[in-house]
Structure formats: C-alpha cells, structure tokens
Amino acid sequence: MRKGLFSKLIVTFSVIIAVSFVIVASFLSYWFDSYSFNQRKQDLLKETQFLGPAAVKYIEGDISSEKLEDTIGSIAGYLSADIWLVDSYGYVFAVSREDDKALIGNQLLTTELEELRAGGNIEKKGDYNGYFEMPVHTFEVPVFDGDTFQCVIIMHTSMADIKGPLESVFEIIWLSALLAIILSSVVIYFVSQRVLIKPLQEINYAADRIAKGEVDKRVVIKAKDEIGELAESFNSMADALEEVENKRREFISNVSHEIRSPITSIKGFIGGILDGVVPKEKHNYYLTIAYEEIQRLTRLVNDLLDLSAIESGQFRLRIEEVDINEIIRQTVIRFEPKVMKRKVKVDVLLQGEKLMVAGDKDRLTQVITNLLDNSMKYVPVSGNINIKTVIKGSKAVVTIFNDGPHIPEAEIKNIWDRFYKADKARSSKVSTGLGLSIVRSILTQLGEDVWVENKEPKGVVFTFTLKMV
Ligand SMILES: Nc1ncnc2c1ncn2[C@@H]1O[C@H](COP(=O)(O)OP(=O)(O)O)[C@@H](O)[C@H]1O
Ligand SMILES: [Mg+2]
C-alpha cells in the first residue's frame, strides 16, 4: 500500500493507543507494586506472631534447635521466604535454608540493632549487601519478651516472586493494546474508506475525466461534512467549466456560421461572373453586393479581434483624463449622414462644458459609437434620440435613449452575449451581435457598470458610468 491517508491514520491511532496504554500500565504497575509489597509485609508480620514466641522459647532453652528449625522451615516454605533469626547482639542463630547455614554464628546486624531495639521494623530492597544474586525484599522485625529485646527475625523474599503476578498483568495489558490496535485498524479502515478515501477517489476520478474533456462529469456525494462541501464546490467548479466550454463551442460555431454566409454569397457572385452566367451589364451590380459582404466580413473580423484582445486583457487600456462630452460631440457629428437620412431628432444634453473622466479615448469612442449605432438602428424614422451626461457623486453617468420598440424582458439578459441578435430577420444584414459585448467588455475593464432599461410608453435607454477625475 502506498503512504496514503489510511496508513497515516493507522500510525496516528496506533501511537495514541500505545501511549495511552503505557500511561495506564505505569499507573497500574505503581499501584500494584505498593499494593503487593504491603500485602507481603502484612503476611510476614502475621507469621512473626508464631515465629517470635518459638524463638523466645528456644533462647530460653524450652525447645530444641531441631524443633525451632522445623518451625522456621515450615513458615519459610509457606511464605516462600528465607528466614534468619539473629540474637540481641546481632549474631545469627538459626536459618531456614540449608545453604545459609554458614551464616550461623556470624554477626550480621550492628548499627541497625539500635533501631530494632527501640521497636522499629526495617524494610529494604536490594541484594542485602551483596549476599544475594537476585534482588530481594528484606524485612527485619524485633522480637520482645515482655519488655526485653530478645532477637530479630529477618525475612527475605525474592523480588521476582513478588513481581511475578505483575508481569502477567503487563502481558494482559500489552495483549489488549495489540488487540485494540488491530481492532481500531479494522474500524479505521472501514470508516476511512467510507468517509474519506472513496469520496476522494471519486472526486479525483471526476477531476481526471474533466481534465480529459468530459466536462459533464460530476460527483455524487451526499455527506454533510467537509468532504460533502468539497464535492459541492467541485461540482460548481465543474458547472462553471462546462459553461465556459459550451460558450467556447457556441462561439466557434457562431463565428464559423457568420463567416460562412458572406463567403458563400461572394463565391456565388464571383463564380457566376467568371462562368459567364451573369450577363456583363449585371457585373457591377453583383460586384457591389460582393463588396458589401466583404465589408461586413471585415467588420466582423475587426469586432472579433477587438473583443478577444479586450477580453484577454492583452489590450492594455490607456487610462488618461478624457473629456467624455467632447467624445460624445465628435461621435454624434460622425453620425450626421445617418441622422439626416432617417430624419432623426438628436438631443444632446451635456453636463457643463467639459466633463473629465478616467478612460481610454479610443475605447470610449467605440462604446459611444456602438450604443449610438444601435439607437440609430432601432429608432423609427423621424424618431428621437437623447444623449445625456450627468454627475452623480463621484461618477459621471452617460445615458443614450432612443424611442422605438422595447427589448422583450426575456431577452434583456442576453443582449450582452456575443453574437446575440434579438431581431434576427431585421438586423442580420448589418449586425454582428458583437457590439454590446464589446461595450460591456470595455466598461468592465474600466471597472464600470452598464445596463439597459425599457422606458414607458416606448423607447430603450442604455446607461453607463465613468469615474470622474
Ligand atoms: N437601442 C436598442 N433598441 C432595441 N434593441 C436593442 C438596442 N440596442 C441593442 N438592442 C438589442 O441587442 C442586440 C445586440 O446588440 P449588439 O450587440 O449591438 O448587436 P447588433 O447591433 O450587431 O445586433 C440587438 O440585436 C438588439 O436586439
Ligand atoms: Mg450593435
């Protein structure tokens, strides 16, 4: 298995479990240690009640040394301890184990006698001044006859004997820790598969498919957690991608379509002339139409180039102080021939003499031209066009109104889309459907707004804002 989420989870959990078991084990061992040593002490103390009188009897000559050895031997056997008896001067006079016989007659206790004589017990852990090879627990208890200090009982128990049960407890602890690790691994495996790994794999797979072009791929994860949220964001990202992809396809098909129809007719006319199908006197007529088509193509290509340049941001807008009133005046003058032809009444109402705004002169001229071009297209013969600039706060607001038919509410959203032409039949000859896209792209790049409203009883008004300087 690769170093995935699962193995990381397992390692983390195992460490947590192991650490908690170590803590439990150390507490338990501490507690068990003191408990079992206390227990041992109680047992030993209890037995001294029998041993003490027997030792006194021996010292007083009431029982033989065999009898005494018998008594210590059986008690030592019962306690599984080594028992030595030491007289009031510190000399050993009886031992429970055959091997320790050499000690008899030796002085074992010196300094400690003081404390024992005063009635205190002495407890030690270790190898008893090197006498034992293994560590032992030693317990020294004085014996009194009435008030007279008679002798000392020394009992050694091997530590291993005391710790024996503790070791098996540790075994149980470690076994259960191991069991807990195995068990939690299984649980973690299934849980992490369900809540983490499977959903992530699904998202990963979908991302891979989308990257390979299947933009309609989605993930179905209903979880109400962070993974669910991730899946949701992923899906909305995929939606956005799909939309972009669809727009791109639509754009390409639109462009091809727009280019194909003029080329087809140009080809038809010129082919007819070359074939001689078109009589000579009609040549001029058809060449004029072909020329118009070529002009339309040129316009289309120019619009497309502008649009793609503006949208890719490659078109660095030259932001400078420009007089929007002056731009409007000059543009209106350029429309003079069309105005005369359609007998349109153009009203221009400008705020002040100059209205300085931040913008790119050529691009703003393009905005006004495109909007005025539309107005001129949709205004009825002898209709009205009103152009106004006003100041609102820190903004200059430009409105261009023309009377004429309303834009249907259902279409008002779409008119900004590339190639969108509401009235396809009427506008197809002269329009590309790119004019408003260009307007909006330019104003968006300037960080400004543009919107459209229908006016009652008739007419359409386009409004956009500019920053004043
Ligand atoms: N002043 C207007 N009055 C009515 N409809 C308009 C007006 N300006 C734009 N439109 C609608 O918006 C559509 C898109 O306009 P535009 O992008 O300039 O493309 P085009 O002018 O080439 O048709 C037009 O086809 C038209 O339906
Ligand atoms: Mg237009």
Side-chain angles (χ1 to χ4, degrees):
M1 195 189 353
R2 73 202 159 97
K3 241 178 136 51
L5 266 182
F6 175 63
S7 39
K8 282 178 190 158
L9 280 175
I10 291 288
V11 169
T12 315
F13 266 74
S14 302
V15 168
I16 291 173
I17 290 172
V19 167
S20 33
F21 271 85
V22 165
I23 292 171
V24 168
S26 357
F27 271 113
L28 214 64
S29 115
Y30 176 75
W31 172 82
F32 198 91
D33 252 22
S34 53
Y35 172 81
S36 53
F37 276 116
N38 267 329
Q39 199 61 35
R40 190 79 202 162
K41 220 156 86 181
Q42 298 303 322
D43 287 350
L44 296 177
L45 272 176
K46 214 152 74 202
E47 294 310 322
T48 55
Q49 289 173 356
F50 302 106
L51 260 177
V56 173
K57 271 188 194 148
Y58 170 78
I59 290 168
E60 287 170 351
D62 287 353
I63 55 169
S64 64
S65 75
E66 285 78 28
K67 178 85 179 122
L68 179 67
E69 272 169 16
D70 258 12
T71 313
I72 341 177
S74 62
I75 291 176
Y78 163 68
L79 288 176
S80 62
D82 280 3
I83 300 179
W84 303 341
L85 295 181
V86 179
D87 68 13
S88 53
Y89 300 102
Y91 290 92
V92 180
F93 65 90
V95 294
S96 64
R97 220 157 41 110
E98 208 57 38
D99 299 357
D100 297 337
K101 280 261 159 70
L103 285 170
I104 292 181
N106 287 353
Q107 193 181 21
L108 209 61
L109 301 177
T110 46
T111 46
E112 288 167 11
L113 275 175
E114 261 334 287
E115 197 182 339
L116 291 161
R117 200 188 295 276
N121 297 336
I122 292 175
E123 202 184 338
K124 282 184 197 163
K125 285 173 192 172
D127 57 5
Y128 206 74
N129 303 328
Y131 186 78
F132 294 98
E133 278 167 12
M134 306 289 274
V136 292
H137 177 228
T138 303
F139 200 48
E140 297 172 359
V141 189
V143 177
F144 294 88
D145 182 22
D147 281 342
T148 343
F149 174 52
Q150 290 286 4
C151 64
V152 181
I153 304 170
I154 301 179
M155 288 175 280
H156 305 285
T157 324
S158 108
M159 289 283 215
D161 277 2
I162 303 173
K163 293 228 176 186
L166 192 63
E167 243 123 62
S168 51
V169 168
F170 277 148
E171 251 165 50
I172 292 172
I173 289 178
W174 289 121
L175 266 176
S176 35
L178 199 71
L179 207 72
I181 289 174
I182 292 172
L183 215 74
S184 55
S185 300
V186 173
V187 173
I188 291 166
Y189 178 76
F190 284 107
V191 172
S192 66
Q193 279 289 333
R194 247 186 77 84
V195 308
L196 274 179
I197 295 166
K198 281 262 168 60
L200 285 180
Q201 276 171 348
E202 197 180 326
I203 293 174
N204 209 357
Y205 174 75
D208 192 49
R209 302 312 308 167
I210 289 176
K212 294 204 168 103
E214 280 178 48
V215 285
D216 56 343
K217 196 89 201 154
R218 294 292 179 278
V219 287
V220 207
I221 293 168
K222 294 265 177 295
K224 293 260 175 296
D225 52 14
E226 285 84 347
I227 295 279
E229 279 168 28
L230 174 65
E232 229 168 82
S233 324
F234 179 86
N235 280 343
S236 44
M237 185 194 75
D239 286 346
L241 265 178
E242 189 180 4
E243 202 188 310
V244 168
E245 177 63 16
N246 287 343
K247 278 223 169 108
R248 190 184 66 86
R249 285 194 189 141
E250 195 191 355
F251 179 74
I252 289 176
S253 101
N254 278 332
V255 170
S256 330
H257 180 82
E258 292 290 326
I259 289 175
R260 191 175 54 187
S261 46
I263 284 186
T264 313
S265 62
I266 292 167
K267 193 177 146 208
F269 297 140
I270 294 180
I273 291 169
L274 288 176
D275 292 351
V277 176
V278 176
K280 234 192 170 80
E281 62 274 20
K282 287 260 176 153
H283 281 187
N284 220 359
Y285 171 72
Y286 284 113
L287 280 175
T288 312
I289 301 181
Y291 182 69
E292 272 165 15
E293 291 286 19
I294 287 170
Q295 270 185 320
R296 201 179 129 212
L297 265 181
T298 312
R299 202 161 46 229
L300 178 72
V301 170
N302 284 340
D303 279 357
L304 278 175
L305 284 175
D306 276 353
L307 196 62
S308 86
I310 294 165
E311 286 193 347
S312 68
Q314 161 205 96
F315 208 118
R316 298 243 134 241
L317 289 177
R318 269 187 305 114
I319 311 269
E320 51 191 6
E321 251 183 70
V322 291
D323 180 3
I324 187 69
N325 284 353
E326 184 57 24
I327 293 177
I328 291 172
R329 277 192 286 264
Q330 283 176 4
T331 312
V332 170
I333 290 168
R334 275 195 289 110
F335 273 86
E336 203 65 30
K338 272 192 186 161
V339 171
M340 306 283 260
K341 206 168 120 200
R342 305 204 63 190
K343 302 190 175 60
V344 178
K345 185 166 169 286
V346 179
D347 257 342
V348 183
L349 196 68
L350 299 176
Q351 169 92 43
E353 181 57 28
K354 285 185 171 185
L355 183 53
M356 303 309 288
V357 296
D360 177 314
K361 184 157 186 263
D362 294 342
R363 295 295 130 191
L364 284 181
T365 307
Q366 197 174 6
V367 166
I368 305 280
T369 308
N370 287 4
L371 291 176
L372 209 54
D373 185 58
N374 285 350
S375 292
M376 209 59 84
K377 220 186 301 181
Y378 294 99
V379 75
V381 174
S382 326
N384 289 292
I385 290 179
N386 300 336
I387 306 169
K388 261 199 312 197
T389 56
V390 291
I391 295 175
K392 274 202 184 126
S394 63
K395 299 273 185 183
V397 181
V398 181
T399 55
I400 298 182
F401 166 86
N402 68 274
D403 49 27
H406 282 169
I407 304 176
E409 283 304 323
E411 281 169 6
I412 235 160
K413 258 197 349 272
N414 303 329
I415 58 169
W416 308 99
D417 290 349
R418 293 180 286 195
F419 296 111
Y420 187 83
K421 294 170 233 168
D423 184 0
K424 291 185 178 71
R426 197 158 68 109
S427 55
S428 69
K429 265 278 171 240
V430 274
S431 69
T432 59
L434 290 174
L436 289 180
S437 301
I438 292 172
V439 167
R440 193 164 69 167
S441 290
I442 292 171
L443 290 168
T444 306
Q445 291 241 321
L446 286 173
E448 299 298 325
D449 255 353
V450 56
W451 64 94
V452 62
E453 290 158 292
N454 287 318
K455 285 277 164 202
E456 295 306 332
K458 58 188 165 100
V460 172
V461 61
F462 281 85
T463 312
F464 66 90
T465 59
L466 289 170
K467 256 183 287 297
M468 292 210 306
V469 285

